[in-house]
Amino acid sequence: MNGGGPSGFNNAPVARTLVIACGLFTVIFGIQGRSNKLGLSYQDIFKNLQLWKLVVSNFAFSSTPELLFGLYLLYYFRVFERQIGSNKYSVFVMFSIIVSLLFEVLALGFLKDSTLNVLTSGPYGVIFSSFVPFYLDIPVSTRFRVFGLRFTDKSFIYLAGLQLLLSSWKRSILPGICGILAGALYRLNVLHIRRLKFPDFVASFFSRLSWPSMGSTVTAAPRRNVPRNIPSYAARQVEASYPAAPPASTAEPVEDSIATLVSMGFDRSSARQALIHARNDLNAATNILLEAQSH
């Protein structure tokens, strides 16, 4: 796979911040020899009331293999920030962390399983909740065989997730399942969570953390830029809701930009028309397509 569009963290400052934070926390606590003690346990939460672990356990992996697979998946899943925008992706990350933590605490309190000891640490909630939209929204673009076995371009992401899920057996399976449940609740739009947005200053905070060469966040395109000529049901819905768009540039879109939008799951024709209307501005074209899908 192409790793979710353009290389690097262009238009994905939240994902970039999360990757850097997890890497730094893991290295710092690893140097201190505390990596294996950061995960949640029944004793820590319900008896010792070490509530600080609820935060730290989400940003530090307990081993180097988990760090490598975890950062790889976080890097790949930046595609979702490009699809829904940094603001809504921030909500997704926060929701995934809080809800998966809640499930983990409830599971520890209910199971009281001594074999669990300490759950493995790391952003399992965000990673495994991302597998829900990955399974449902990211299309398969390549199929191939290896030694007679069928694979797709998505198979390597699933294998990396399986490796992370089974890395510490019960200690990692439980956080992974809690993350999947959190992703399912977000997908079901529980409490209308998918409509929620943070204030603009919160979303812009991550933009200011980005290096200039990394690009900027995907900002909301003005509604007047929503094209009338996207050949999809969603576009017809937008036409009924918004005024006609002004004439757009007829310059042929860059092929790389079309390929980027197609990799996000949009059909080629719609991607081309959106880029024409957005005058080859990839950010604006992405938001045009997202606006069309949301109606």
Side-chain angles (χ1 to χ4, degrees):
M1 296 186 75
N2 63 359
S7 61
F9 288 99
N10 288 313
N11 305 321
V14 177
R16 174 180 175 271
T17 303
L18 188 59
V19 166
I20 292 176
C22 291
L24 287 177
F25 270 78
T26 303
V27 170
I28 291 172
F29 285 106
I31 293 174
Q32 297 176 350
R34 301 171 60 188
S35 297
N36 294 326
K37 302 176 183 179
L38 297 176
L40 303 180
S41 70
Y42 178 83
Q43 183 77 16
D44 291 337
I45 301 302
F46 292 96
K47 293 186 178 181
N48 298 334
L49 297 178
Q50 296 180 343
L51 301 183
W52 58 272
K53 283 192 173 183
L54 294 174
V55 176
V56 176
S57 65
N58 277 282
F59 296 100
F61 290 96
S62 60
S63 68
T64 300
E66 291 177 44
L67 173 66
L68 295 177
F69 283 104
L71 293 189
Y72 169 69
L73 290 169
L74 287 174
Y75 177 76
Y76 176 84
F77 288 142
R78 75 199 188 285
V79 65
F80 298 122
E81 182 174 358
R82 291 172 176 164
Q83 286 185 342
I84 65 178
S86 295
N87 196 314
K88 286 191 175 182
Y89 186 72
S90 301
V91 175
F92 170 77
V93 169
M94 187 65 68
F95 180 84
S96 299
I97 290 175
I98 293 175
V99 174
S100 61
L101 270 178
L102 178 61
F103 280 134
E104 288 179 35
V105 171
L106 291 176
L108 286 172
F110 178 75
L111 295 175
K112 298 180 181 178
D113 189 346
S114 59
T115 62
L116 286 174
N117 193 11
V118 178
L119 296 180
T120 192
S121 60
Y124 278 67
V126 177
I127 291 173
F128 285 95
S129 64
S130 298
F131 272 100
V132 175
F134 175 73
Y135 173 76
L136 295 173
D137 297 335
I138 301 297
V140 172
S141 59
T142 305
R143 301 178 187 274
F144 56 93
R145 288 176 176 268
V146 177
F147 301 117
L149 300 176
R150 293 181 180 179
F151 292 92
T152 71
D153 52 336
K154 297 175 67 173
S155 298
F156 297 106
I157 305 299
Y158 286 125
L159 289 174
L162 183 63
Q163 173 64 36
L164 189 62
L165 183 68
L166 301 178
S167 59
S168 300
W169 194 228
K170 285 184 178 182
R171 295 174 56 239
S172 55
I173 289 178
L174 181 58
I177 292 175
C178 292
I180 293 173
L181 291 175
L185 291 179
Y186 183 87
R187 182 75 181 191
L188 293 172
N189 201 23
V190 174
L191 301 177
H192 301 290
I193 186 63
R194 294 169 69 178
R195 296 182 182 179
L196 182 65
K197 288 185 178 182
F198 285 124
D200 291 338
F201 75 88
V202 176
S204 65
F205 169 76
F206 294 101
S207 298
R208 291 195 295 271
L209 290 178
S210 297
W211 295 328
S213 60
M214 289 297 184
S216 59
T217 57
V218 177
T219 55
R223 285 183 172 179
R224 65 176 180 275
N225 286 338
V226 178
R228 295 175 60 87
N229 53 351
I230 293 180
S232 65
Y233 171 77
R236 293 195 295 271
Q237 291 292 93
V238 174
E239 288 180 7
S241 304
Y242 301 109
S249 169
T250 57
E252 187 65 24
V254 179
E255 185 62 32
D256 287 347
S257 297
I258 296 177
T260 297
L261 293 174
V262 170
S263 73
M264 293 180 179
F266 302 112
D267 66 82
R268 181 180 179 84
S269 177
S270 297
R272 179 180 176 277
Q273 293 296 335
L275 283 165
I276 290 175
H277 193 89
R279 296 173 175 82
N280 287 319
D281 186 321
L282 183 59
N283 291 350
T286 302
N287 282 281
I288 285 171
L289 292 166
L290 292 173
E291 282 283 333
Q293 283 188 344
S294 65
H295 288 78

